[in-house]
Amino acid sequence: MEDIFKPLKEKTFHFSCHKGIPCFTVCCAKLNLILTPYDILRIKNRLGLSSDDFLDDYTETVVENNNRFPTVRLKMKTDEEEACPFVTEQGCAIYEDRPSACRLYPLGRASTMVNGQKNAREKFFVVAESHCLGLQEKKSWALDDWLDHEDVNGYSAMNDQWLEIVTSSKDIGTSIDPIKKYQMFFMASYNLDNFRKFLFKSRFFDLFDVAADLKKEIEGDDVALMKFGFKWLKFSLFGDKGLQPKSHTAGL
């Protein structure tokens, strides 16, 4: 593994991927591809699927001892190649909405959020897989140019808000059943349709102060809903003060 992951010391690298290269789409198989909430939002909307249908048809939930919260992984095809469900002979069928990790490849990003800091700490490395002939191409990239070209920064801006939650060392407490907190984490992170139902078909807005314009925005905009979900998770998991109960429910 150490031979594959090589630190990006010079901030530049050589890479080009195109249909004429023999390894085209070889990297799109047998993946352990973890999806972020923003990945799921983009892909499900691209496919015109509900959250439930996308999660059921294209993902599997993974619970591991070394991860505090459950993760969602893209389900590979069950054929011999174990290819990504979205790869074709022409390339990625959802290219404009492909996941964060696919955008970054052949680079990887190690990142964490430190409590009290606005931006993530990050390091980049080259994923020097033996099958990738693109790394032998002449095209040279500066790191910042690659990140801009693949819209990695736009995705990271969304993902780092969630990263702050999943890498937090804060105690989730025991005042509410921890199982219910993990269920809330899954819904607000991965199942936006159900999270919207939770907000609008429960007494949520009777209990919490949410501005009318924000309420209207999260009713119709998935990105706004996702961001609100992150704020809700910080409150419900860790007791952060980003949300305020209405005065008559402050003691609840």
Side-chain angles (χ1 to χ4, degrees):
M1 298 293 285
E2 293 180 357
D3 292 336
I4 295 177
F5 301 109
K6 299 181 178 180
L8 187 64
K9 296 179 180 180
E10 303 300 326
K11 302 297 183 182
T12 61
F13 63 100
H14 290 270
F15 181 72
S16 180
C17 184
H18 50 86
K19 294 178 184 178
I21 201 166
C23 63
F24 187 60
T25 74
V26 171
C27 58
C28 305
K30 298 180 180 178
L31 302 175
N32 181 21
L33 183 56
I34 301 300
L35 298 175
T36 69
Y38 190 58
D39 291 338
I40 293 172
L41 182 161
R42 290 284 295 259
I43 301 172
K44 83 171 186 68
N45 287 349
R46 168 66 174 258
L47 300 176
L49 294 176
S50 67
S51 296
D52 279 333
D53 286 344
F54 176 76
L55 292 171
D56 288 345
D57 294 345
Y58 290 102
T59 75
E60 52 191 2
T61 301
V62 181
V63 179
E64 298 175 322
N65 291 334
N66 60 332
N67 287 327
R68 190 178 191 186
F69 298 104
T71 56
V72 167
R73 183 167 59 194
L74 185 64
K75 191 188 303 179
M76 298 293 108
K77 292 180 181 178
T78 57
D79 57 12
E80 184 177 352
E81 287 76 19
E82 297 181 49
C84 169
F86 304 118
V87 70
T88 72
E89 291 183 358
Q90 302 304 312
C92 179
I94 58 165
Y95 188 79
E96 295 81 4
D97 299 290
R98 65 200 185 280
S100 311
C102 302
R103 291 174 178 274
L104 191 53
Y105 189 84
L107 301 186
R109 177 181 184 249
S111 56
T112 187
M113 295 293 294
V114 178
N115 291 337
Q117 294 189 2
K118 182 178 180 180
N119 298 318
R121 293 182 179 178
E122 60 183 10
K123 291 184 178 180
F124 293 92
F125 51 88
V126 177
V127 184
E129 296 177 300
S130 59
H131 61 70
C132 182
L133 301 178
L135 293 167
Q136 301 175 21
E137 296 281 292
K138 294 181 179 180
K139 174 66 176 177
S140 180
W141 290 96
L143 174 60
D144 288 343
D145 290 340
W146 178 254
L147 299 181
D148 287 341
H149 186 266
E150 301 300 310
D151 193 24
V152 173
N153 291 325
Y155 269 65
S156 294
M158 297 293 178
N159 293 334
D160 287 350
Q161 298 176 56
W162 184 67
L163 182 67
E164 184 178 357
I165 296 167
V166 298
T167 63
S168 175
S169 60
K170 294 181 180 179
D171 190 351
I172 66 170
T174 57
S175 59
I176 299 176
D177 183 355
I179 297 299
K180 291 183 179 180
K181 289 197 172 187
Y182 290 128
Q183 291 172 339
M184 178 60 68
F185 169 84
F186 187 93
M187 178 175 65
S189 295
Y190 306 127
N191 196 319
L192 286 180
D193 291 342
N194 282 352
F195 182 55
R196 184 177 277 120
K197 291 176 185 176
F198 163 76
L199 296 178
F200 287 92
K201 294 188 177 182
S202 71
R203 296 181 60 233
F204 186 91
F205 296 111
D206 294 329
L207 301 176
F208 290 91
D209 275 319
V210 179
D213 57 344
L214 176 57
K215 181 179 177 181
K216 182 177 181 180
E217 187 178 11
I218 63 180
E219 186 174 18
D221 185 293
D222 277 353
V223 172
L225 176 65
M226 182 190 70
K227 291 180 178 180
F228 186 80
F230 297 158
K231 183 180 294 187
W232 166 244
L233 286 177
K234 291 176 186 178
F235 174 86
S236 61
L237 293 174
F238 309 127
D240 287 10
K241 303 302 182 183
L243 286 178
Q244 291 297 326
K246 291 186 176 179
S247 57
H248 65 279
T249 63
L252 296 182

XYZ file of all heavy atoms in Angstrom, residues 20-113:
743
model
N -8.210 6.771 -25.846
C -7.163 6.085 -26.574
C -6.143 5.382 -25.706
O -5.284 4.659 -26.220
N -6.237 5.548 -24.406
C -5.264 4.932 -23.514
C -5.725 3.515 -23.164
O -6.904 3.283 -22.924
C -5.058 5.806 -22.255
C -3.741 5.502 -21.569
C -6.211 5.676 -21.279
C -3.351 6.557 -20.540
N -4.822 2.528 -23.177
C -5.233 1.127 -22.980
C -5.948 0.851 -21.668
O -6.759 -0.066 -21.588
C -3.908 0.358 -23.061
C -3.005 1.226 -23.879
C -3.380 2.631 -23.525
N -5.650 1.633 -20.641
C -6.247 1.369 -19.327
C -7.553 2.126 -19.110
O -8.079 2.157 -17.982
C -5.260 1.727 -18.218
S -4.814 3.489 -18.170
N -8.097 2.725 -20.145
C -9.313 3.540 -20.005
C -10.422 2.760 -19.308
O -10.793 1.671 -19.737
C -9.778 4.001 -21.387
C -10.918 4.974 -21.365
C -10.799 6.193 -20.724
C -12.119 4.673 -21.994
C -11.845 7.106 -20.712
C -13.175 5.574 -21.989
C -13.040 6.791 -21.342
N -10.924 3.293 -18.208
C -12.001 2.765 -17.337
C -11.572 1.556 -16.490
O -12.391 1.040 -15.727
C -13.284 2.392 -18.120
O -13.085 1.187 -18.859
C -13.743 3.509 -19.032
N -10.312 1.103 -16.583
C -9.876 -0.001 -15.722
C -9.986 0.388 -14.251
O -10.291 -0.441 -13.384
C -8.425 -0.424 -16.066
C -7.887 -1.412 -15.029
C -8.376 -1.043 -17.453
N -9.759 1.652 -13.954
C -9.828 2.127 -12.571
C -11.260 2.166 -12.043
O -11.474 2.358 -10.838
C -9.197 3.507 -12.450
S -9.948 4.768 -13.500
N -12.247 1.962 -12.914
C -13.655 2.058 -12.521
C -14.236 0.692 -12.170
O -15.339 0.337 -12.596
C -14.472 2.697 -13.638
S -13.858 4.302 -14.193
N -13.497 -0.093 -11.409
C -13.955 -1.435 -11.036
C -13.341 -1.834 -9.707
O -12.280 -1.323 -9.309
C -13.579 -2.450 -12.112
N -14.043 -2.727 -9.002
C -13.570 -3.271 -7.729
C -13.170 -2.155 -6.776
O -12.112 -2.167 -6.162
C -12.400 -4.237 -7.961
C -12.790 -5.443 -8.814
C -11.629 -6.392 -9.036
C -12.067 -7.579 -9.892
N -10.967 -8.521 -10.180
N -14.067 -1.187 -6.655
C -13.789 -0.006 -5.845
C -14.406 -0.117 -4.456
O -15.515 -0.623 -4.298
C -14.347 1.242 -6.531
C -13.836 1.555 -7.932
C -14.574 2.753 -8.499
C -12.344 1.804 -7.927
N -13.700 0.374 -3.486
C -14.259 0.591 -2.155
C -14.537 2.098 -2.057
O -13.822 2.840 -1.397
C -13.278 0.134 -1.083
C -13.822 0.317 0.321
O -15.033 0.424 0.535
N -12.934 0.386 1.289
N -15.587 2.518 -2.746
C -15.836 3.944 -2.962
C -16.881 4.464 -1.980
O -18.082 4.227 -2.130
C -16.291 4.181 -4.401
C -16.521 5.631 -4.829
C -15.277 6.467 -4.591
C -16.917 5.693 -6.294
N -16.402 5.163 -0.961
C -17.294 5.760 0.033
C -17.917 7.029 -0.543
O -17.219 7.876 -1.118
C -16.515 6.095 1.323
C -15.891 4.834 1.911
C -17.431 6.766 2.337
C -16.878 3.757 2.289
N -19.223 7.145 -0.400
C -19.951 8.299 -0.916
C -20.227 9.295 0.202
O -20.640 8.928 1.301
C -21.277 7.857 -1.539
C -21.186 6.907 -2.735
C -22.587 6.472 -3.167
C -20.447 7.550 -3.907
N -20.024 10.559 -0.085
C -20.374 11.616 0.854
C -21.834 12.021 0.631
O -22.428 11.706 -0.406
C -19.478 12.847 0.644
O -19.801 13.449 -0.613
C -17.998 12.463 0.670
N -22.422 12.753 1.577
C -23.790 13.243 1.353
C -23.936 14.041 0.064
O -24.942 13.905 -0.640
C -24.046 14.110 2.588
C -23.221 13.471 3.659
C -21.967 13.032 2.961
N -22.939 14.864 -0.265
C -23.045 15.659 -1.492
C -22.920 14.778 -2.727
O -23.585 15.020 -3.742
C -21.989 16.759 -1.502
C -22.182 17.761 -2.618
C -23.369 18.488 -2.728
C -21.186 17.989 -3.563
C -23.556 19.404 -3.748
C -21.360 18.909 -4.581
C -22.551 19.613 -4.674
O -22.744 20.521 -5.691
N -22.084 13.741 -2.669
C -22.025 12.771 -3.769
C -23.405 12.181 -4.027
O -23.873 12.096 -5.170
C -21.074 11.615 -3.430
C -19.618 12.015 -3.391
O -19.251 13.032 -4.002
O -18.833 11.295 -2.736
N -24.054 11.739 -2.954
C -25.361 11.089 -3.078
C -26.400 12.059 -3.625
O -27.195 11.714 -4.509
C -25.797 10.519 -1.715
C -24.868 9.365 -1.315
C -27.248 10.042 -1.745
C -25.091 8.848 0.090
N -26.386 13.278 -3.112
C -27.329 14.300 -3.587
C -27.186 14.496 -5.093
O -28.182 14.486 -5.832
C -27.048 15.608 -2.837
C -27.910 16.839 -3.083
C -27.756 17.812 -1.917
C -27.527 17.572 -4.373
N -25.959 14.662 -5.561
C -25.734 14.929 -6.980
C -26.148 13.745 -7.850
O -26.792 13.909 -8.893
C -24.255 15.259 -7.206
C -23.810 16.603 -6.649
C -24.283 17.758 -7.508
N -23.687 17.748 -8.835
C -22.664 18.524 -9.218
N -22.132 19.384 -8.360
N -22.211 18.466 -10.461
N -25.786 12.524 -7.426
C -26.053 11.363 -8.279
C -27.544 11.024 -8.302
O -28.116 10.742 -9.361
C -25.230 10.145 -7.832
C -23.735 10.456 -7.891
C -25.537 8.937 -8.719
C -22.858 9.377 -7.290
N -28.191 11.035 -7.145
C -29.612 10.676 -7.113
C -30.438 11.669 -7.930
O -31.386 11.284 -8.629
C -30.127 10.586 -5.672
C -30.529 11.897 -5.022
C -31.211 11.710 -3.695
C -31.719 13.039 -3.140
N -32.831 13.611 -3.932
N -30.088 12.940 -7.844
C -30.804 13.940 -8.631
C -30.491 13.792 -10.121
O -31.367 14.000 -10.971
C -30.457 15.345 -8.140
C -31.094 15.665 -6.799
O -31.954 14.933 -6.318
N -30.676 16.760 -6.175
N -29.267 13.432 -10.443
C -28.898 13.181 -11.848
C -29.734 12.044 -12.424
O -30.200 12.094 -13.564
C -27.408 12.842 -11.913
C -26.898 12.280 -13.261
C -26.984 13.324 -14.366
N -26.380 12.836 -15.603
C -25.172 13.175 -16.048
N -24.417 14.001 -15.321
N -24.712 12.706 -17.176
N -29.954 10.997 -11.610
C -30.704 9.828 -12.060
C -32.210 10.000 -11.915
O -32.978 9.164 -12.395
C -30.257 8.594 -11.266
C -28.785 8.203 -11.385
C -28.476 7.027 -10.465
C -28.413 7.873 -12.822
N -32.637 11.065 -11.244
C -34.059 11.283 -11.015
C -34.662 10.290 -10.057
O -35.830 9.911 -10.188
N -33.879 9.873 -9.058
C -34.327 8.867 -8.102
C -34.590 9.491 -6.736
O -33.984 10.505 -6.367
C -33.264 7.772 -7.940
C -32.976 6.895 -9.153
C -31.833 5.940 -8.834
C -34.214 6.120 -9.573
N -35.472 8.861 -5.987
C -35.650 9.235 -4.592
C -34.429 8.766 -3.805
O -33.672 7.900 -4.263
C -36.907 8.588 -4.022
O -36.741 7.174 -3.953
N -34.248 9.317 -2.622
C -33.149 8.872 -1.763
C -33.264 7.391 -1.467
O -32.269 6.643 -1.528
C -33.146 9.671 -0.449
O -32.905 11.040 -0.679
N -34.473 6.936 -1.128
C -34.677 5.514 -0.817
C -34.273 4.627 -1.982
O -33.560 3.628 -1.798
C -36.141 5.247 -0.451
C -36.471 5.614 0.984
O -35.556 5.589 1.826
O -37.644 5.912 1.255
N -34.727 4.970 -3.186
C -34.438 4.132 -4.350
C -32.950 4.127 -4.675
O -32.379 3.082 -5.014
C -35.237 4.604 -5.563
C -36.711 4.229 -5.470
O -37.057 3.360 -4.642
O -37.524 4.811 -6.215
N -32.317 5.284 -4.584
C -30.884 5.319 -4.871
C -30.108 4.487 -3.859
O -29.236 3.686 -4.236
C -30.351 6.751 -4.874
C -28.860 6.813 -5.064
C -28.304 6.603 -6.312
C -28.015 7.043 -3.987
C -26.927 6.624 -6.493
C -26.641 7.059 -4.153
C -26.094 6.855 -5.410
N -30.404 4.662 -2.584
C -29.692 3.909 -1.549
C -29.914 2.412 -1.710
O -28.980 1.613 -1.558
C -30.128 4.379 -0.160
C -29.711 5.803 0.227
C -30.400 6.224 1.519
C -28.195 5.910 0.377
N -31.150 2.012 -2.016
C -31.464 0.588 -2.175
C -30.783 -0.020 -3.404
O -30.265 -1.139 -3.336
C -32.981 0.387 -2.287
C -33.706 0.599 -0.971
O -33.038 0.618 0.078
O -34.939 0.764 -1.002
N -30.766 0.712 -4.507
C -30.309 0.145 -5.777
C -28.803 0.257 -5.993
O -28.213 -0.597 -6.672
C -31.025 0.823 -6.948
C -32.512 0.523 -6.981
O -32.948 -0.419 -6.293
O -33.251 1.243 -7.694
N -28.193 1.293 -5.425
C -26.812 1.578 -5.806
C -25.804 1.598 -4.653
O -24.614 1.830 -4.901
C -26.741 2.927 -6.530
C -27.368 2.895 -7.897
C -28.650 3.420 -8.109
C -26.698 2.347 -8.986
C -29.231 3.391 -9.372
C -27.267 2.320 -10.247
C -28.539 2.843 -10.434
O -29.104 2.813 -11.684
N -26.240 1.377 -3.441
C -25.299 1.500 -2.327
C -25.441 0.354 -1.336
O -26.409 -0.396 -1.351
C -25.499 2.822 -1.560
O -26.678 2.737 -0.733
C -25.614 4.009 -2.494
N -24.458 0.263 -0.474
C -24.515 -0.622 0.673
C -23.981 0.141 1.874
O -23.052 0.944 1.748
C -23.709 -1.900 0.426
C -22.280 -1.673 -0.031
C -21.625 -2.955 -0.520
O -22.297 -3.994 -0.528
O -20.438 -2.896 -0.898
N -24.595 -0.090 3.023
C -24.190 0.591 4.242
C -23.139 -0.241 4.959
O -23.274 -1.464 5.091
C -25.399 0.815 5.168
O -26.377 1.599 4.467
C -24.989 1.549 6.430
N -22.101 0.429 5.414
C -20.978 -0.242 6.054
C -20.834 0.285 7.479
O -20.768 1.492 7.701
C -19.668 -0.001 5.277
C -18.511 -0.736 5.943
C -19.830 -0.442 3.824
N -20.789 -0.634 8.424
C -20.547 -0.283 9.827
C -19.255 -0.969 10.251
O -19.165 -2.195 10.252
C -21.707 -0.722 10.733
C -21.408 -0.368 12.189
C -23.018 -0.077 10.285
N -18.251 -0.177 10.561
C -16.938 -0.711 10.919
C -16.504 -0.165 12.265
O -16.837 0.967 12.631
C -15.904 -0.345 9.852
C -16.214 -0.924 8.473
C -15.245 -0.448 7.409
O -14.854 0.735 7.460
O -14.888 -1.256 6.537
N -15.734 -0.954 12.968
C -15.307 -0.570 14.316
C -14.434 0.681 14.313
O -14.436 1.446 15.282
C -14.543 -1.726 14.976
C -15.442 -2.906 15.312
O -16.652 -2.728 15.518
N -14.867 -4.094 15.370
N -13.685 0.887 13.223
C -12.788 2.043 13.184
C -13.482 3.314 12.705
O -12.865 4.369 12.647
C -11.571 1.746 12.300
C -11.967 1.426 10.871
O -13.062 0.924 10.634
N -11.089 1.696 9.935
N -14.759 3.223 12.351
C -15.542 4.398 11.973
C -16.624 4.650 13.007
O -17.368 3.742 13.366
C -16.186 4.200 10.594
C -15.181 4.282 9.464
O -14.207 5.023 9.547
N -15.402 3.519 8.412
N -16.700 5.869 13.459
C -17.672 6.207 14.496
C -19.101 6.135 13.983
O -20.012 5.735 14.702
C -17.368 7.619 15.011
C -18.159 8.021 16.256
C -17.744 9.407 16.682
N -18.269 9.736 17.991
C -18.144 10.937 18.556
N -17.493 11.897 17.900
N -18.648 11.171 19.741
N -19.287 6.509 12.741
C -20.618 6.558 12.143
C -20.681 5.627 10.931
O -19.650 5.321 10.320
C -20.951 7.988 11.720
C -21.002 8.971 12.852
C -19.967 9.870 13.056
C -22.076 8.969 13.731
C -20.008 10.778 14.106
C -22.129 9.877 14.788
C -21.095 10.781 14.977
N -21.879 5.178 10.568
C -22.005 4.322 9.381
C -21.643 5.082 8.111
O -21.871 6.289 8.000
C -23.488 3.927 9.388
C -24.172 5.004 10.174
C -23.185 5.429 11.214
N -21.046 4.365 7.174
C -20.710 4.956 5.884
C -21.519 4.268 4.790
O -22.004 3.154 4.959
C -19.215 4.820 5.573
O -18.831 3.435 5.639
C -18.375 5.611 6.559
N -21.649 4.946 3.671
C -22.377 4.420 2.525
C -21.386 4.243 1.381
O -20.636 5.171 1.035
C -23.529 5.362 2.116
C -24.072 4.995 0.751
C -24.645 5.295 3.151
N -21.382 3.058 0.803
C -20.434 2.719 -0.242
C -21.174 2.421 -1.545
O -22.244 1.820 -1.529
C -19.626 1.489 0.213
C -18.537 1.040 -0.738
C -17.620 0.048 -0.045
N -18.327 -1.126 0.423
C -17.827 -2.008 1.289
N -16.624 -1.825 1.799
N -18.524 -3.062 1.646
N -20.595 2.856 -2.666
C -21.183 2.565 -3.962
C -21.093 1.071 -4.237
O -20.039 0.460 -4.088
C -20.453 3.342 -5.061
C -21.031 3.222 -6.475
C -22.426 3.826 -6.539
C -20.102 3.897 -7.489
N -22.207 0.486 -4.638
C -22.270 -0.952 -4.891
C -21.768 -1.256 -6.307
O -22.284 -0.722 -7.287
C -23.713 -1.432 -4.728
C -23.894 -2.941 -4.714
C -25.383 -3.303 -4.740
C -26.134 -2.681 -3.590
N -27.587 -3.029 -3.636
N -20.758 -2.102 -6.394
C -20.253 -2.509 -7.697
C -21.185 -3.547 -8.328
O -21.984 -4.191 -7.652
C -18.854 -3.109 -7.561
C -17.800 -2.168 -7.012
S -17.391 -0.773 -8.111
C -18.167 0.600 -7.206
N -21.073 -3.734 -9.646
C -21.836 -4.772 -10.323
C -21.410 -6.147 -9.804
O -20.299 -6.323 -9.292
C -21.615 -4.692 -11.830
C -22.194 -3.446 -12.488
C -21.918 -3.452 -13.982
C -22.454 -2.206 -14.657
N -22.136 -2.194 -16.112
N -22.268 -7.114 -9.946
C -21.995 -8.454 -9.433
C -21.366 -9.369 -10.478
O -21.235 -10.568 -10.252
C -23.287 -9.098 -8.903
O -24.269 -9.122 -9.956
C -23.834 -8.326 -7.723
N -20.977 -8.825 -11.624
C -20.326 -9.647 -12.642
C -18.852 -9.854 -12.287
O -18.363 -9.382 -11.258
C -20.473 -9.015 -14.024
C -19.908 -7.594 -14.087
O -19.204 -7.192 -13.138
O -20.168 -6.889 -15.063
N -18.153 -10.543 -13.140
C -16.754 -10.878 -12.873
C -15.880 -9.643 -12.746
O -14.941 -9.602 -11.947
C -16.218 -11.790 -13.979
C -14.793 -12.280 -13.747
C -14.325 -13.238 -14.828
O -15.157 -13.628 -15.675
O -13.126 -13.579 -14.827
N -16.168 -8.620 -13.540
C -15.353 -7.410 -13.512
C -15.595 -6.560 -12.266
O -14.759 -5.770 -11.879
C -15.621 -6.570 -14.763
C -15.040 -7.134 -16.035
C -15.852 -8.306 -16.575
O -17.040 -8.444 -16.170
O -15.320 -9.086 -17.375
N -16.778 -6.719 -11.663
C -17.158 -5.895 -10.501
C -16.979 -4.409 -10.828
O -16.389 -3.634 -10.075
C -16.354 -6.263 -9.263
C -16.591 -7.688 -8.782
C -15.789 -8.014 -7.542
O -15.836 -7.200 -6.585
O -15.105 -9.052 -7.522
N -17.515 -4.024 -11.968
C -17.358 -2.659 -12.446
C -18.325 -1.717 -11.743
O -19.358 -2.122 -11.203
C -17.588 -2.600 -13.954
N -17.992 -0.438 -11.782
C -18.897 0.602 -11.300
C -20.186 0.540 -12.117
O -20.157 0.330 -13.332
C -18.230 1.959 -11.468
S -19.332 3.368 -11.198
N -21.341 0.725 -11.494
C -22.606 0.648 -12.230
C -22.775 1.756 -13.259
O -23.657 1.670 -14.121
C -23.664 0.750 -11.128
C -22.982 1.460 -10.002
C -21.555 0.988 -10.052
N -21.939 2.779 -13.206
C -22.110 3.913 -14.112
C -21.055 3.962 -15.213
O -21.057 4.892 -16.015
C -22.085 5.225 -13.324
C -23.107 5.274 -12.223
C -22.715 5.406 -10.897
C -24.460 5.161 -12.506
C -23.659 5.438 -9.877
C -25.410 5.189 -11.489
C -25.000 5.321 -10.171
N -20.155 2.987 -15.265
C -19.122 3.019 -16.286
C -19.631 2.353 -17.561
O -20.365 1.368 -17.526
C -17.826 2.330 -15.797
C -18.002 0.821 -15.660
C -16.667 2.648 -16.726
N -19.278 2.950 -18.698
C -19.622 2.417 -20.017
C -18.346 2.371 -20.854
O -17.281 2.857 -20.431
C -20.658 3.290 -20.729
O -20.033 4.518 -21.139
C -21.842 3.599 -19.813
N -18.436 1.821 -22.059
C -17.286 1.808 -22.951
C -16.849 3.215 -23.325
O -15.688 3.445 -23.673
C -17.619 1.017 -24.226
C -17.794 -0.480 -23.993
C -18.047 -1.229 -25.286
O -18.114 -0.558 -26.350
O -18.176 -2.467 -25.240
N -17.768 4.149 -23.251
C -17.472 5.548 -23.582
C -16.978 6.343 -22.385
O -16.615 7.516 -22.523
C -18.718 6.215 -24.168
C -19.268 5.520 -25.408
C -18.240 5.391 -26.509
O -17.553 6.364 -26.841
N -18.106 4.194 -27.058
N -16.983 5.715 -21.220
C -16.557 6.411 -20.017
C -17.674 6.474 -18.982
O -18.583 5.646 -18.984
N -17.622 7.467 -18.136
C -18.574 7.592 -17.033
C -19.896 8.180 -17.524
O -19.925 9.255 -18.130
C -17.987 8.477 -15.941
S -19.083 8.726 -14.533
N -20.992 7.493 -17.223
C -22.308 7.939 -17.672
C -22.837 9.104 -16.847
O -23.793 9.763 -17.249
C -23.296 6.771 -17.618
N -22.228 9.350 -15.697
C -22.664 10.462 -14.845
C -21.502 11.419 -14.613
O -21.365 11.999 -13.540
C -23.229 9.954 -13.500
C -22.191 9.130 -12.740
C -24.504 9.143 -13.709
C -22.530 8.897 -11.275
N -20.680 11.588 -15.610
C -19.393 12.273 -15.457
C -19.525 13.627 -14.771
O -18.748 13.965 -13.878
C -18.731 12.445 -16.821
C -17.325 12.965 -16.746
C -16.265 12.122 -16.426
C -17.051 14.314 -17.000
C -14.969 12.605 -16.351
C -15.760 14.798 -16.924
C -14.722 13.942 -16.606
O -13.435 14.431 -16.528
N -20.502 14.425 -15.165
C -20.647 15.771 -14.581
C -21.006 15.710 -13.099
O -20.800 16.681 -12.369
C -21.713 16.568 -15.334
C -21.363 16.885 -16.778
C -21.627 15.719 -17.729
O -22.157 14.678 -17.268
O -21.297 15.839 -18.920
N -21.546 14.589 -12.650
C -21.971 14.446 -11.256
C -21.248 13.295 -10.562
O -21.745 12.749 -9.580
C -23.484 14.234 -11.197
C -24.253 15.404 -11.781
O -24.251 16.472 -11.153
O -24.828 15.266 -12.880
N -20.077 12.928 -11.058
C -19.323 11.814 -10.490
C -18.875 12.134 -9.065
O -18.729 13.309 -8.708
C -18.121 11.473 -11.369
C -17.063 12.553 -11.460
C -16.202 12.348 -12.691
N -15.085 13.302 -12.766
C -15.204 14.544 -13.188
N -16.398 15.023 -13.513
N -14.142 15.327 -13.251
N -18.628 11.119 -8.249
C -18.272 11.342 -6.847
C -16.958 12.093 -6.659
O -16.116 12.171 -7.561
C -18.170 9.922 -6.277
C -18.991 9.082 -7.184
C -18.832 9.696 -8.548
N -16.770 12.582 -5.454
C -15.588 13.374 -5.112
C -14.295 12.611 -5.379
O -13.345 13.168 -5.953
C -15.640 13.759 -3.630
O -16.884 14.298 -3.281
N -14.246 11.357 -4.951
C -13.016 10.573 -5.101
C -12.659 10.372 -6.562
O -11.475 10.351 -6.933
C -13.173 9.223 -4.401
N -13.671 10.224 -7.423
C -13.432 10.055 -8.857
C -12.894 11.345 -9.467
O -12.047 11.321 -10.376
C -14.705 9.632 -9.564
S -15.423 8.095 -8.944
N -13.386 12.477 -9.011
C -12.912 13.765 -9.509
C -11.439 13.964 -9.177
O -10.676 14.505 -9.968
C -13.715 14.907 -8.880
C -15.126 14.963 -9.335
C -15.962 15.999 -8.606
N -17.281 15.966 -9.187
C -17.657 16.635 -10.269
N -16.804 17.446 -10.861
N -18.859 16.509 -10.755
N -11.059 13.555 -8.010
C -9.703 13.791 -7.520
C -8.678 12.851 -8.142
O -7.516 13.215 -8.315
C -9.690 13.642 -5.999
C -8.452 14.085 -5.238
C -8.075 15.519 -5.589
C -8.693 13.951 -3.741
N -9.088 11.635 -8.498
C -8.170 10.621 -9.036
C -7.412 11.154 -10.252
O -8.010 11.825 -11.087
C -8.989 9.386 -9.449
C -8.153 8.192 -9.829
C -7.673 7.327 -8.852
C -7.832 7.940 -11.150
C -6.897 6.225 -9.191
C -7.053 6.849 -11.507
C -6.590 5.998 -10.529
O -5.820 4.921 -10.873
N -6.081 10.932 -10.324
C -5.276 9.954 -9.590
C -4.673 10.474 -8.292
O -3.688 9.915 -7.802
C -4.173 9.638 -10.592
C -3.912 10.985 -11.221
C -5.277 11.611 -11.368
N -5.240 11.533 -7.769
C -4.802 12.017 -6.468
C -5.743 11.521 -5.386
O -6.880 11.134 -5.650
C -4.762 13.551 -6.449
C -3.871 14.249 -7.465
C -3.854 15.740 -7.198
C -2.463 13.681 -7.467
N -5.266 11.538 -4.173
C -6.086 11.292 -2.997
C -5.904 12.449 -2.036
O -4.911 13.196 -2.113
N -6.855 12.614 -1.150
C -6.825 13.722 -0.186
C -7.072 13.179 1.206
O -8.088 12.536 1.459
C -7.885 14.760 -0.544
C -8.023 15.939 0.426
C -9.129 16.874 -0.060
N -9.268 18.073 0.745
C -10.316 18.343 1.533
N -11.327 17.462 1.607
N -10.379 19.459 2.227
N -6.137 13.410 2.092
C -6.324 13.088 3.506
C -6.664 14.383 4.217
O -5.919 15.368 4.115
C -5.060 12.470 4.091
N -7.806 14.414 4.906
C -8.252 15.674 5.495
C -8.934 15.423 6.826
O -9.488 14.352 7.078
C -9.210 16.397 4.544
O -10.309 15.562 4.212
N -8.894 16.433 7.661
C -9.601 16.386 8.928
C -9.939 17.808 9.332
O -9.276 18.766 8.909
C -8.752 15.710 10.028
O -9.546 15.533 11.209
C -7.530 16.546 10.381
N -10.988 17.947 10.125
C -11.378 19.247 10.656
C -10.983 19.307 12.123
O -11.196 18.354 12.878
C -12.879 19.467 10.525
C -13.380 19.552 9.099
S -12.810 21.009 8.200
C -13.641 22.328 9.109
